[in-house]
Amino acid sequence: MNDNSNINFKHKKDFINSGLSEETLGKAGYRSVDGQTVDDGVTPTGRKKTKFISGYWQVPVICPFTKKLHYYRKKLDQPLIHPKTKKETFYVSPANSAPHLYFSKQLNWDDVLPCDSIVLTEGEKKADKYIQDTGKPAVALS
């Protein structure tokens, strides 16, 4: 079994409620990152400004063939709120990153592809849950 000491209690509870096992979390590479206060420039009067950045969990989005990391997909603990539309955003990827399919690190895709069928899911956790429960390949649209 993989070490899951880098997944905090709140996130682990969320994953377990989604049906993901601790073994799956480790194999797929899920991690928690705590919130933090960071510098945010200076005020017009020269005082230092800070802001709080929400904690989040992340999962690696990789190329199944080269094993290259494209980026980490993140789910924020506190949403970003668009100033005009007030729309909340919980899931984020790096700015200007091209969309990628999520291929879970649970599977060795060299052994899986080509195959007769692959299940498509909406979201990384659903793909990982399907693989966990069936042992069959699933790819997520994020």
Side-chain angles (χ1 to χ4, degrees), residues 70-125:
H70 292 299
Y71 54 80
Y72 286 95
R73 179 87 165 143
K74 300 173 182 176
K75 182 180 185 236
L76 305 174
D77 294 340
Q78 301 295 320
L80 297 174
I81 301 175
H82 190 279
K84 291 184 181 177
T85 65
K86 305 300 183 203
K87 180 181 176 188
E88 294 183 342
T89 301
F90 280 94
Y91 289 88
V92 295
S93 300
N96 301 318
S97 61
H100 290 88
L101 294 173
Y102 171 72
F103 291 86
S104 178
K105 288 178 60 179
Q106 287 187 77
L107 296 176
N108 180 350
W109 290 92
D110 292 333
D111 295 340
V112 172
L113 298 174
C115 61
D116 292 334
S117 64
I118 295 177
V119 169
L120 292 177
T121 70
E122 183 276 323
E124 298 86 0
K125 290 194 303 184

Side-chain angles (χ1 to χ4, degrees), residues 32-67:
S32 291
V33 177
D34 293 331
Q36 56 188 319
T37 301
V38 297
D39 290 338
D40 192 30
V42 294
T43 67
T45 60
R47 297 182 78 192
K48 189 175 175 181
K49 294 190 314 184
T50 61
K51 67 180 177 181
F52 181 77
I53 297 177
S54 171
Y56 54 88
W57 61 256
Q58 66 183 21
V59 65
V61 176
I62 61 165
C63 173
F65 308 108
T66 65
K67 312 297 187 265

Side-chain angles (χ1 to χ4, degrees), residues 129-137:
K129 174 81 166 104
Y130 182 83
I131 294 167
Q132 170 189 287
D133 292 349
T134 68
K136 296 179 182 175

